[in-house]
Amino acid sequence: MKTITSTALATGTPAPPVDQLNLVRRLVEEQFGSEEPLTRAALHLIDCARDVVAQLPAGDLDTARHALGSARAAVISATCAVGMVHDMSASRREQA
């Protein structure tokens, strides 16, 4: 397992949550690129989380629906990534 660390948030007052998620996204993309299915899924999950966190103060029904839509999109993205990785692994086993 690879751990990503940054000192950008370690000093001073904490950045707002959306800014922290933007930083995490940037660090993941810099560290892993965006070509691999699991990395793309992780970036999409971060995007979905950022969208939800950005709307937290609203607290109305439309915001809740948007959060649900983001959660669904995140699950679909992660499911597709797992399927792609499974297919790639099976293909590698067959070639070996």
Side-chain angles (χ1 to χ4, degrees):
M1 176 184 285
K2 203 172 209 179
T3 302
I4 299 173
T5 59
S6 172
T7 58
L9 297 176
T11 59
T13 59
V18 172
D19 291 345
Q20 291 179 22
L21 287 166
N22 286 334
L23 175 61
V24 168
R25 189 190 197 293
R26 183 177 55 80
L27 291 172
V28 168
E29 194 166 23
E30 286 174 2
Q31 186 72 30
F32 299 102
S34 61
E35 300 303 315
E36 294 296 321
L38 289 178
T39 305
R40 284 194 311 268
L43 293 172
H44 189 76
L45 291 168
I46 294 167
D47 291 341
C48 290
R50 182 187 56 211
D51 291 348
V52 171
V53 168
Q55 295 187 27
L56 283 178
D60 58 19
L61 186 55
D62 286 337
T63 302
R65 286 185 178 137
H66 184 267
L68 182 58
S70 289
R72 286 179 180 148
V75 168
I76 290 168
S77 177
T79 302
C80 289
V82 168
M84 291 175 71
V85 170
H86 178 269
D87 292 346
M88 290 174 8
S89 297
S91 176
R92 287 184 193 132
R93 281 193 303 271
E94 289 174 4
Q95 292 175 358

